[in-house]
Amino acid sequence: MPPARPDAPDRLLVAGNWKMNGSRALAAALAQAALDAARAAPEVEVALFPPAVLLPLVSDAVGAPRGPVAVGGQQCHPEAKGAHTMGIAAAMLAEAGCRYVLDGHSEVRREYGYDDARVAAAAEAARAAGLRPIVCVGETRAERDAGQARAVLERQVDAVFGSRSAPLADADVAYEPVWAIGTGVTPTPEEAERAHGWIRARLDAAGAPRSRILYGGSVAPANIGGFLSRPGIDGVLVGGASLEAASFTALVVAARAAAAARRRP
Ligand code: 13P
């Protein structure tokens, strides 16, 4: 196994992005399962990203922002307030118990027109409200096939972390190849780690060596161990498999085993 990174984070992160799924009943059940899983695996950080209207319920259930499960929003608006119908300000998420906010998920980029500049502005807004953004990047299948994956990832990372007077500390990245989201098809752990290496180099250049890089895209109990066996992968961002208590719990258990394996000399 390659040597540990000096700036490796203390804990692996298992994050569940519920997207536009759930109900009050499901949210309560998943929050309880996450709480139980997190208590049994203190070496792993567990975070939930429910739809905004379910945030208060989930935050209360897990005792956010201080409890063992972190909560996050799925996107914040770049502006702090104003005439932006449907918008959710970062400060509103913070007040709802959030510690994190996803920023620039490929579905948000595609469905709501978030381009690199808007994703960067939203990251600034998140930081101003005391949230830790998780900036989502990833190439499409066409971009990958055209040999452009590295250039796309570097552009997306630089737009948020680069060309800044002050480094964007306290922000993370999720590498989510668009072609792997919801498809059951994934890169190999080695391929994912190579992409993480490209991203890591840009983060280092931007003065953000302590940012985590998560992998996302069809993560499941059967494949999480492979991804988390790679030292360049600091956690996972999970969609479908986070919507069932049993599979989400299995992911946290697997992350705990991966964390233990990393600590072994
Ligand atoms: P799936 O795990 O359903 O592929 O979704 C990944 C994702 O987009 C998480 O943000």
Side-chain angles (χ1 to χ4, degrees):
M1 187 180 281
R5 298 192 335 254
D7 285 312
D10 300 336
R11 293 195 294 169
L12 296 172
L13 175 60
V14 176
N17 174 12
W18 297 358
K19 308 190 179 184
M20 195 173 73
N21 294 291
S23 59
R24 291 178 63 84
L26 182 64
L30 291 175
Q32 186 59 50
L35 202 49
D36 294 343
R39 284 187 177 132
E43 314 85 344
V44 177
E45 185 177 0
V46 177
L48 301 177
F49 294 80
V53 293
L54 296 173
L55 276 172
L57 184 158
V58 173
S59 285
D60 285 352
V62 301
R66 274 170 297 279
V69 174
V71 171
Q74 295 181 4
Q75 180 65 54
C76 64
H77 195 281
E79 300 293 336
K81 63 175 180 169
H84 304 287
T85 301
M86 205 182 91
I88 298 174
M92 298 173 184
L93 295 174
E95 206 176 31
C98 291
R99 168 167 153 67
Y100 291 105
V101 61
L102 302 181
D103 185 18
H105 191 285
S106 64
E107 289 148 18
V108 173
R109 291 179 191 256
R110 188 175 65 228
E111 297 187 18
Y112 302 104
Y114 272 65
D115 59 10
D116 286 338
R118 194 167 171 84
V119 172
E124 296 272 3
R127 289 300 306 128
L131 297 176
R132 187 175 178 99
I134 299 179
V135 179
C136 302
V137 300
E139 81 285 359
T140 64
R141 168 61 72 187
E143 288 163 343
R144 182 180 180 85
D145 290 347
Q148 295 167 351
R150 181 174 187 167
V152 168
L153 297 176
E154 291 181 345
R155 189 201 76 221
Q156 291 176 334
V157 171
D158 285 354
V160 179
F161 291 86
S163 66
R164 299 166 48 87
S165 49
L168 182 69
D170 301 324
D172 298 311
V173 173
Y175 170 55
E176 297 207 305
V178 179
W179 50 272
I181 294 176
T183 59
V185 180
T186 69
T188 65
E190 292 72 23
E191 288 171 330
E193 193 179 42
R194 189 176 46 151
H196 282 219
W198 299 332
I199 294 166
R200 176 62 61 200
R202 302 311 301 164
L203 292 174
D204 284 348
R210 292 197 60 80
S211 294
R212 283 180 292 205
I213 308 176
L214 314 178
Y215 169 76
S218 295
V219 172
N223 64 23
I224 184 175
F227 290 114
L228 293 186
S229 72
R230 311 305 308 172
I233 299 181
D234 303 320
V236 289
L237 180 57
V238 187
S242 74
L243 293 171
E244 267 184 36
S247 54
F248 191 67
T249 300
L251 294 173
V252 177
V253 169
R256 185 179 195 204
R262 286 185 186 209
R263 277 196 306 275
R264 276 197 287 275

